[in-house]
Amino acid sequence: MERVIVSVQGSGVLGDAWRACVGTGRFNLALRQDYQDSLALVQREIGFRHIRGHGLLHDDVAVHRPYDAAGHRGTAYVFTYVDQVVDAYLNLGIKPFLELGFMPRGLASGDQTVFWWLGNVTPPRDHAEWASLVRALLRHLIDRYGLDEVRTWPVEVWNEPNLTHFWKDGDQGAYFRLYEASVLAVKDVDAELQVGGPAISPGADDWWEPFAEFVTTRDLPADFLSVHAYASGPAQHVPFGVYQTLRRPQDLLDQFARPRKILAGTALADRPLHITEFNTSYRPDNPVHDTAYNAAYLAPVLAEGGEHAASFAYWTFSDVFEEEGVPASFFHGGFGMLGYRQVRKPTFHLYAFMARMGPEVLARGVDHLVTRHPATGQVTVLAWQPVGGTDDPAEPDRHEVRLSVPVAPVAALRQVQDPPVEASDQDSAGSTGSTSSASGSRVFVMRHDVDESAGNAWAAWREMGRPASPSGRQLDALHEASEPARRAYSLPVVPTADGGRVDLDLPIGRHGVTLVTLDPVRDETPPWLDDARILGRADTLPGAGYP
């Protein structure tokens, strides 16, 4: 396999569209301890900016409260749960991406619902009352959190209105009427609040041109556009789960790019695009989500998705999620990058690896992304085994990535980080053991691996016999099995005209994703240390009969 020569010159900046937003189960679930513990872990190790989910206006959040008693009739707006959830989000360093939905029962025009938790998906019986609800919500949020803060929270109108499951009859005209009432209410509160839609599902490209024509003709705001992307086929149902075919990973990137192509030449062509849901499968009970394959599949999507969208939100951060009811088993194919009790899945590690990449892109390939931290000289490599979809051959047991990576010698880094050394101090400065050129220098390599056997709690759970409710001892074992395999070593730097290079050979296991960090070594070993003498054996001692 030919070695890829990574340029010493940066080729661009690695954006953070991949962690600009993440999906969540319905709003009310954020009141649970397991949910908040999981989100805290995600924020510590990944650090998303926004979080989006359904159910903000659902009855289990109890915002819309009509009353008629003792001669008093009206509607109260109650924000007890809203405040608790948003407070928790902000305390964890994440902002809400507000989805307006579903319809409160006291405002609904019908009784059609979706999901186990019965989200109402009918239009409002009174659009003026709906607009009053939207205004009341936003004014409360501004009063509590401040206008400048709430202006950074996008407001999305509904969810997948093109599907009859999520909007009565999939009625486009009725959605446009809801959109108009909603965006005018948002802008009535503050003209700089960001609002958009139409939050359509994959395969609804025929909605884009009518939506653009509607908002243009009616002179309505659309500060951003939103759409969802999934790569799975029809569900093959089994008890408590499904199996599905998958298209290739490129299909997701093609979906990310499609709205801009369709809207080219329209008034919406330059609007920011948010992929407010994406994953391999659109089902919350497909076991692919728990696997190493899922991480390898999504690696090129994370590496390239920012070329097409301002954000793309993985659906979802946690298995605390109940669209199809309470899951029947610990691992159940849930969307989450974390399972219950914060058990890390391979896809979680993919995101945590991405969080450690540098801002300067040195190379992109079909199986790798190479970046650099300019301030420290650390080079980071994300590598993966390319995977196909259902119609492609099964992946081999091993893949290899071979790179020639540019590294800066320690002396070059010190010139950037340290003040110049006075001439009278040069001798003492030189005695520290730092390397003055690439010749004879090394880099410290730290490697983290996830594949079919490493960093794979689902594989360990399978070997346990798939316990529906793992015991405490089994749960401890799953946490241990979820840790990536780690290896530390050093490699020589080969002197070159551009400073120095390291030949990096990375064998990767089946469905593997690997993070490698390379840091210049500044050798501070004292001259009297000799590791060969640690056990004090006679043949390593300075002389015979040594006492």
Side-chain angles (χ1 to χ4, degrees):
M1 181 180 180
E2 187 175 348
R3 190 176 300 279
V4 175
I5 308 300
V6 177
S7 173
V8 71
Q9 301 296 329
S11 61
V13 175
L14 181 64
D16 66 349
W18 61 273
R19 64 173 169 187
C21 188
V22 71
T24 172
R26 75 180 187 277
F27 195 82
N28 177 279
L29 294 176
L31 298 171
R32 298 187 185 175
Q33 188 65 48
D34 195 22
Y35 178 107
Q36 293 197 22
D37 290 345
S38 294
L39 186 57
L41 173 60
V42 163
Q43 287 304 94
R44 282 197 308 272
E45 297 200 21
I46 301 169
F48 291 99
R49 289 207 311 269
H50 288 88
I51 186 167
R52 173 198 175 269
H54 309 320
L56 170 62
L57 300 177
H58 182 53
D59 289 319
D60 68 356
V61 183
V63 173
H64 185 264
R65 303 285 291 278
Y67 58 87
D68 186 357
H72 300 279
R73 184 176 185 179
T75 300
Y77 300 117
V78 178
F79 300 105
T80 304
Y81 281 179
V82 171
D83 294 347
Q84 290 182 39
V85 172
V86 175
D87 286 357
Y89 284 165
L90 296 180
N91 287 338
L92 291 172
I94 195 166
K95 302 169 182 282
F97 193 121
L98 300 170
E99 177 201 297
L100 298 180
F102 289 118
M103 195 60 60
R105 183 172 55 245
L107 185 50
S109 60
D111 57 7
Q112 181 184 338
T113 62
V114 68
F115 302 143
W116 174 77
W117 45 271
L118 304 179
N120 189 288
V121 295
T122 65
R125 66 167 186 267
D126 184 328
H127 284 79
E129 189 176 348
W130 167 262
S132 295
L133 170 62
V134 172
R135 284 192 292 267
L137 169 68
L138 292 172
R139 284 171 177 154
H140 171 78
L141 294 174
I142 290 169
D143 287 345
R144 184 173 180 87
Y145 303 106
L147 179 58
D148 290 343
E149 174 63 32
V150 178
R151 281 176 174 171
T152 67
W153 305 354
V155 182
E156 184 182 41
V157 181
W158 212 254
N159 174 75
E160 297 188 349
N162 59 294
L163 297 180
T164 57
H165 295 300
F166 292 107
W167 184 242
K168 187 176 184 299
D169 301 325
D171 188 326
Q172 189 177 89
Y175 173 73
F176 287 170
R177 187 179 178 193
L178 180 82
Y179 182 87
E180 181 170 18
S182 302
V183 299
L184 292 179
V186 170
K187 295 297 185 178
D188 186 47
V189 173
D190 180 71
E192 294 188 39
L193 292 173
Q194 300 299 293
V195 63
I200 52 178
S201 71
D205 291 343
D206 57 344
W207 272 58
W208 284 117
E209 290 184 5
F211 179 72
E213 181 179 358
F214 175 75
V215 298
T216 303
T217 301
R218 302 283 293 176
D219 194 26
L220 296 173
D223 298 311
F224 64 85
L225 306 172
S226 62
V227 67
H228 300 165
Y230 294 96
S232 53
Q236 306 160 30
H237 290 270
V238 296
F240 305 110
V242 302
Y243 298 106
Q244 292 171 285
T245 58
L246 286 177
R247 298 179 290 277
R248 294 174 177 173
Q250 182 61 42
D251 183 80
L252 282 176
L253 293 169
D254 292 343
Q255 290 183 57
F256 289 8
R258 196 168 296 136
R260 293 196 185 283
K261 293 179 180 178
I262 295 172
L263 294 172
T266 73
L268 302 184
D270 62 345
R271 298 296 195 276
L273 175 66
H274 295 293
I275 313 297
T276 49
E277 294 180 21
F278 90 97
N279 207 321
T280 45
S281 165
Y282 60 81
R283 290 285 308 191
D285 49 5
N286 185 327
V288 71
H289 296 132
D290 301 329
T291 66
Y293 172 91
N294 205 70
Y297 185 103
L298 294 177
V301 179
L302 266 63
E304 299 180 36
E307 302 296 312
H308 307 294
S311 73
F312 47 108
Y314 184 77
W315 190 254
T316 57
F317 83 89
S318 169
D319 275 355
V320 180
F321 191 92
E322 296 176 346
E323 288 185 358
E324 293 294 316
V326 178
S329 186
F330 187 86
F331 280 115
H332 52 273
F335 287 123
M337 62 179 68
L338 286 176
Y340 290 134
R341 307 293 186 88
Q342 298 80 59
V343 172
R344 296 162 171 86
K345 299 184 189 181
T347 299
F348 174 89
H349 292 303
L350 169 65
Y351 271 84
F353 291 172
M354 279 290 292
R356 296 180 62 178
M357 301 296 283
E360 184 181 12
V361 175
L362 298 182
R364 297 179 191 265
V366 296
D367 56 5
H368 64 271
L369 172 66
V370 184
T371 66
R372 179 168 56 202
H373 294 265
T376 64
Q378 184 186 73
V379 174
T380 48
V381 178
L382 182 72
W384 58 88
Q385 181 189 49
V387 302
T390 301
D391 294 334
D392 294 297
E395 292 76 26
D397 290 338
R398 175 185 167 110
H399 178 71
E400 187 166 10
V401 176
R402 302 179 72 231
L403 304 171
S404 171
V405 180
V407 294
V410 171
L413 292 174
R414 291 187 69 200
Q415 290 172 10
V416 173
Q417 298 171 10
D418 300 339
V421 179
E422 296 294 333
S424 60
D425 294 332
Q426 284 183 355
D427 288 343
S428 59
S431 67
T432 62
S434 63
T435 305
S436 60
S437 70
S439 178
S441 63
R442 302 182 69 83
V443 294
F444 174 71
V445 182
M446 191 71 203
R447 177 171 176 171
H448 310 251
D449 283 290
V450 172
D451 56 31
E452 284 297 312
S453 59
N456 194 331
W458 178 79
W461 176 76
R462 181 184 57 197
E463 297 302 314
M464 284 180 180
R466 306 177 197 255
S469 298
S471 67
R473 184 165 52 85
Q474 288 174 321
L475 185 59
D476 289 344
L478 291 175
H479 278 293
E480 290 183 28
S482 75
E483 291 295 322
R486 297 181 176 94
R487 181 187 170 202
Y489 56 101
S490 67
L491 289 172
V493 177
V494 178
T496 62
D498 56 12
R501 287 186 168 271
V502 169
D503 286 344
L504 193 60
D505 296 326
L506 300 175
I508 298 173
R510 190 164 189 261
H511 300 156
V513 178
T514 294
L515 173 71
V516 179
T517 59
L518 300 94
D519 289 280
V521 171
R522 180 176 178 178
D523 194 347
E524 300 181 13
T525 305
W528 56 84
L529 292 186
D530 181 357
D531 293 341
R533 298 175 59 187
I534 288 175
L535 296 184
R537 290 197 172 100
D539 57 357
T540 66
L541 298 178
Y546 195 86

